[in-house]
Amino acid sequence: MPAQLEIIQPSACCAPLTREPLGQSDAEDLARTMKALGDPARLRLLSLVAASEGSEACVCDLQEPLGLAQPTVSHHLRVLTEAGFLTRSKRGTWAYYALVPGALDRIADVLRG
Amino acid sequence: MPAQLEIIQPSACCAPLTREPLGQSDAEDLARTMKALGDPARLRLLSLVAASEGSEACVCDLQEPLGLAQPTVSHHLRVLTEAGFLTRSKRGTWAYYALVPGALDRIADVLRG
């Protein structure tokens, strides 16, 4: 698969923070992305998916480790999906969430000095 | 200056998200740090400081570019300081804010796959 097909545009943007002052529009985009990461349950869900084999996990395996109700887990997974970190696909009974390749690295690149 | 003196412990923690599932305590620490970055004005202030010569800026130069009132700027700078991204020092009339070396890189390391 060509490399460009593996990199899906996440909602973050921007030159590295330390290189040039961030403009208002880029700052708003990046803040939305950071807000999606500003919750312990979402960070744990994202990490559970990311650390799973193939960076993909069944929603059926994401509820028990956090001890949260299913609607709460679904809400957090939706926020992570809308922020461009996860994709959702339905296979049979269950939904599967996969890490969007490059999404976390792009945020890391913006933060790195 | 020895390298270890340049790296101040930021509030973030943790092995990379993609390596192993994040525990609750680490997730809470990291979420607090991410929340500090989840605001466009704070991202712009952090970027203004980080992109300044020597990664340091006078508070007197941080107000005009954002068009925000001084108390608002002060509030955001305090949040960034408490989150471990900036240090504050008073010299003469003005406060100066400096980027904590390594603080952004440590967050980037946690996010990177």
Side-chain angles (χ1 to χ4, degrees):
Chain A
M1 190 189 288
Q4 72 265 27
L5 287 184
E6 298 204 291
I7 297 168
I8 299 172
Q9 182 74 31
S11 47
C13 52
C14 324
L17 286 187
T18 57
R19 189 190 297 162
E20 57 186 64
L22 201 61
Q24 183 62 23
S25 165
D26 282 350
E28 286 170 9
D29 286 348
L30 187 56
R32 263 192 294 275
T33 305
M34 292 299 181
K35 261 186 204 160
L37 300 180
D39 179 279
R42 285 201 288 276
L43 285 170
R44 292 191 69 191
L45 285 167
L46 184 59
S47 180
L48 274 169
V49 172
S52 294
E53 202 182 324
S55 296
E56 188 185 57
C58 176
V59 70
C60 57
D61 293 324
L62 296 174
Q63 193 175 331
E64 187 274 335
L66 272 71
L68 295 174
Q70 185 269 321
T72 308
V73 169
S74 292
H75 162 73
H76 287 313
L77 288 169
R78 192 164 54 244
V79 172
L80 288 168
T81 303
E82 286 171 357
F85 290 114
L86 298 179
T87 53
R88 179 184 189 276
S89 57
K90 198 95 188 281
R91 295 206 294 276
T93 311
W94 297 107
Y96 289 76
Y97 287 86
L99 185 68
V100 171
L104 285 168
D105 285 344
R106 285 179 68 115
I107 309 291
D109 288 344
V110 173
L111 297 180
R112 190 172 295 284
Chain B
M1 188 187 290
Q4 71 264 28
L5 287 184
E6 298 205 292
I7 297 167
I8 298 172
Q9 181 75 31
S11 47
C13 53
C14 323
L17 286 188
T18 57
R19 189 190 299 163
E20 58 186 64
L22 201 62
Q24 183 62 24
S25 165
D26 282 351
E28 286 170 9
D29 286 350
L30 187 56
R32 264 192 294 275
T33 305
M34 292 299 181
K35 262 186 202 159
L37 299 180
D39 179 280
R42 285 201 287 276
L43 285 170
R44 292 191 69 191
L45 285 167
L46 184 59
S47 179
L48 274 169
V49 172
S52 296
E53 201 181 326
S55 296
E56 188 185 57
C58 176
V59 70
C60 57
D61 293 323
L62 295 174
Q63 193 175 330
E64 187 273 336
L66 271 72
L68 296 174
Q70 185 269 322
T72 307
V73 169
S74 292
H75 162 74
H76 287 312
L77 289 168
R78 191 164 55 245
V79 173
L80 289 168
T81 303
E82 286 171 359
F85 291 113
L86 298 179
T87 54
R88 180 184 188 277
S89 57
K90 198 94 188 281
R91 295 205 294 277
T93 312
W94 297 107
Y96 288 76
Y97 286 86
L99 185 67
V100 172
L104 284 169
D105 286 344
R106 285 178 68 114
I107 309 291
D109 288 343
V110 173
L111 298 180
R112 190 172 294 285

